[in-house]
Amino acid sequence: MTTIRQADFIDSIADALQYISYYHPLDFIKALDEAYQREENEAAKNAIAQVLTNSRMSAQGHRPICQDTGIVTCFVKVGMGVQWDKTDLTVQQMVDEGTRRAYNNPDNPLRASIVADPAGARKNTGDNTPAVVHIDMVAGNEIEVMIAAKGGGSENKSKMAMLNPSDSIADWVVETLPKMGAGWCPPGMLGIGIGGTAEKSAVLAKESLMESVDIHELIERGPQNAEEELRLEILNRVNALGIGAQGLGGLTTVLDVKIKSLPTHAASKPVTLIPNCAATRHVHFTLDGSGAADLTPPKLEDWPDVTFELGDDARRVNLDEVTKEDIQDWKMGETVLLSGKLLTGRDAAHKRIKGMLDNGEELPVDFNNRFIYYVGPVDPVGDEVVGPAGPTTSTRMDKFTDQMLEEAGIIGMVGKAERGPEAVESIRKHKAVYLMAVGGAAYLVAKAIKKSRVVAFEDLGMEAIYEFEVEDMPVTVAVDSDGQNAHTQGPAIWKAKIADLNEKLGA
């Protein structure tokens, strides 16, 4: 029998969650660098450069890669020959205690994003607990832990289907993926669970995302079974869609496809698809009774020498002076550098603003002729003005957009990924603009924020309305005042280019 100390397990969980908050897995970074080197769409290439630059900065500064520090998902495999030094805490309670310590670490506080009573009050638990824990009893005298922090943007894009036994899984994935939009921050990984039952396929998909990127090794040696053939088919067909980095169009949409499967009922084919975003965060460790896990930091020289640099043709904008007339000249795909005062607001703030507008109440902030940034930042440490502050998924604010433009008076929005058709039409109708910041580059974005203060709804925590003073914050015009939409036109253009290239190569 091996005795595992509760304290070692809890410390290992806390250390692991801190570790993955600022260290990407190096296999993921190498795959992303390869995608950067071969990318031909400049907008997509710049987006990947921002993610890689942000990753190196986070590793150096020990600050979160993304402002969404995720919901903790933990797979714990407990050997049958293991005993605990104490029996007063369950494995769930120990993981929660490690999570609590990690997210409340004063040196690197992580954003608490978990809300209780999800169908009701949705009140933040304040410490990111409870974690989602999967426990298996296995042979052996050790405890194996695989732990991840999964951002809401990618988690929300999960899809599940009960296919007929004769249905093509690859066809379903290729049909489903474009409907997911770019809120999962491609390029990333796709986890696919096949078989078992409905709920088990989802667990399989999530567990598959804990594996390393190894698609290039598979390509070199060739597939040896049906699952490996399916991985390659899905990889090639999805990348041929031309969705590209951040949905702007390009050669790489997915870096790897992972599949885990189990036997299933003869009448069934349950399939779940879960994407991992550009802030892929996971680590594995084993406890054998000798102490807490030893997580060896990667070397900074292991990161690629890629630096995001602004082009000379970027449009510089003073937010304190810009008018609605000025933004009529901005064109889809253009790079804009924002300076001046920028308001923030996301789901909870928008819901409260809507209630006040509907009731004829005076708003606590004057939004007229202002820009709003969809963000919920991490708390600052030391001399930071604000913690990592990357964009959240903009489509969640679509249902508020017309009222915000019509009644609140905003003229521009900044967020992540695409907007829905109704929001795009509202932007066109009101001659406004939607600007896209890169998801997965939160620490880099935060460096452009020079001042920050809460101006309304302080009780909402990270969802309060802030006023940021920014300097040269890089964004892309995703929807211009004429309704031209980069997330529609970019992928369409690159899908055609990829098809033409494949035809020339005889693929």
Side-chain angles (χ1 to χ4, degrees), residues 431-453:
K431 307 301 289 182
V433 291
Y434 167 60
L435 311 175
M436 191 209 77
V438 172
Y443 196 35
L444 176 64
V445 171
K447 295 302 182 183
I449 302 171
K450 305 306 179 183
K451 292 183 181 179
S452 171
R453 66 187 182 103

Side-chain angles (χ1 to χ4, degrees), residues 31-45:
L32 197 59
D33 179 44
E34 291 174 5
Y36 170 81
Q37 300 300 335
R38 65 173 173 266
E39 185 55 66
E40 296 179 12
N41 179 8
E42 279 304 310
K45 197 175 185 75

Side-chain angles (χ1 to χ4, degrees), residues 246-288:
Q246 304 289 312
L248 294 170
L251 299 179
T252 303
T253 302
V254 293
L255 301 171
D256 201 348
V257 177
K258 297 298 184 182
I259 295 176
K260 289 185 77 71
S261 65
L262 278 180
T264 191
H265 193 285
S268 304
K269 189 188 274 187
V271 182
T272 299
L273 167 65
I274 304 179
N276 243 4
C277 64
T280 290
R281 294 164 294 200
H282 63 88
V283 72
H284 307 179
F285 61 85
T286 300
L287 299 179
D288 59 8

Side-chain angles (χ1 to χ4, degrees), residues 106-380:
D107 295 326
N108 181 38
L110 308 179
R111 197 185 79 183
S113 301
I114 304 307
V115 295
D117 190 16
R122 297 181 67 85
K123 184 178 180 181
N124 199 301
T125 62
D127 56 13
N128 225 58
T129 65
V132 177
V133 183
H134 304 280
I135 305 169
D136 284 331
M137 300 300 296
V138 299
N141 298 305
E142 299 177 331
I143 293 179
E144 179 187 354
V145 176
M146 299 182 293
I147 193 165
K150 189 71 158 57
S154 59
E155 188 70 5
N156 289 348
K157 301 301 181 179
S158 303
K159 302 294 180 184
M160 192 270 168
M162 296 300 292
L163 301 181
N164 292 320
S166 61
D167 290 343
S168 165
I169 293 171
D171 285 352
W172 176 74
V173 172
V174 172
E175 178 185 352
T176 300
L177 201 102
K179 300 174 185 177
M180 289 162 43
W184 60 281
C185 292
M189 296 167 62
L190 299 183
I192 301 174
I194 306 170
T197 52
E199 83 283 1
K200 187 61 177 180
S201 72
V203 175
L204 290 169
K206 184 61 67 66
E207 189 173 6
S208 75
L209 291 172
M210 301 286 186
E211 298 175 0
S212 299
V213 177
D214 66 352
I215 199 74
H216 295 298
E217 289 88 338
L218 173 56
I219 292 171
E220 288 176 6
R221 67 169 169 79
Q224 297 176 353
N225 53 51
E227 284 188 7
E228 291 183 346
E229 291 175 356
L230 183 58
R231 286 178 63 192
L232 292 179
E233 180 184 359
I234 291 173
L235 178 84
N236 292 329
R237 291 180 63 184
V238 166
N239 282 336
L241 293 172
I243 294 169
Q246 304 289 312
L248 294 170
L251 299 179
T252 303
T253 302
V254 293
L255 301 171
D256 201 348
V257 177
K258 297 298 184 182
I259 295 176
K260 289 185 77 71
S261 65
L262 278 180
T264 191
H265 193 285
S268 304
K269 189 188 274 187
V271 182
T272 299
L273 167 65
I274 304 179
N276 243 4
C277 64
T280 290
R281 294 164 294 200
H282 63 88
V283 72
H284 307 179
F285 61 85
T286 300
L287 299 179
D288 59 8
S290 62
D294 181 17
L295 302 173
T296 304
K299 298 176 181 177
L300 288 175
E301 52 264 34
D302 291 333
W303 265 261
D305 187 20
V306 173
T307 302
F308 170 66
E309 296 180 355
L310 297 168
D312 295 334
D313 57 346
R315 181 190 294 267
R316 282 185 156 80
V317 171
N318 185 340
L319 291 170
D320 301 332
E321 299 176 357
V322 69
T323 66
K324 196 166 188 177
E325 289 70 30
D326 294 331
I327 66 176
Q328 306 311 303
D329 295 333
W330 302 5
K331 297 303 179 185
M332 180 199 75
E334 185 177 5
T335 299
V336 176
L337 301 178
L338 302 177
S339 297
K341 295 182 175 64
L342 176 66
L343 294 171
T344 78
R346 41 180 287 156
D347 310 63
H350 277 77
K351 183 178 180 180
R352 192 171 290 185
I353 291 167
K354 173 178 171 52
M356 297 179 74
L357 289 172
D358 289 347
N359 293 328
E361 300 174 31
E362 184 179 350
L363 297 180
V365 179
D366 182 5
F367 289 96
N368 198 46
N369 287 323
R370 302 291 296 274
F371 278 65
I372 191 167
Y373 180 29
Y374 303 146
V375 63
V378 176
D379 289 340

Side-chain angles (χ1 to χ4, degrees), residues 78-99:
V78 182
M80 296 293 288
V82 165
Q83 64 180 7
W84 298 93
D85 69 327
K86 299 178 183 178
T87 57
D88 56 319
L89 297 177
T90 66
V91 172
Q92 175 75 53
Q93 289 171 326
M94 286 188 279
V95 174
D96 285 346
E97 178 57 27
T99 299

Side-chain angles (χ1 to χ4, degrees), residues 394-406:
S394 299
T395 50
R396 299 202 312 272
M397 268 54 72
D398 280 2
K399 62 183 178 181
F400 304 109
T401 296
D402 201 63
Q403 190 174 35
M404 290 296 292
L405 293 170
E406 179 77 29

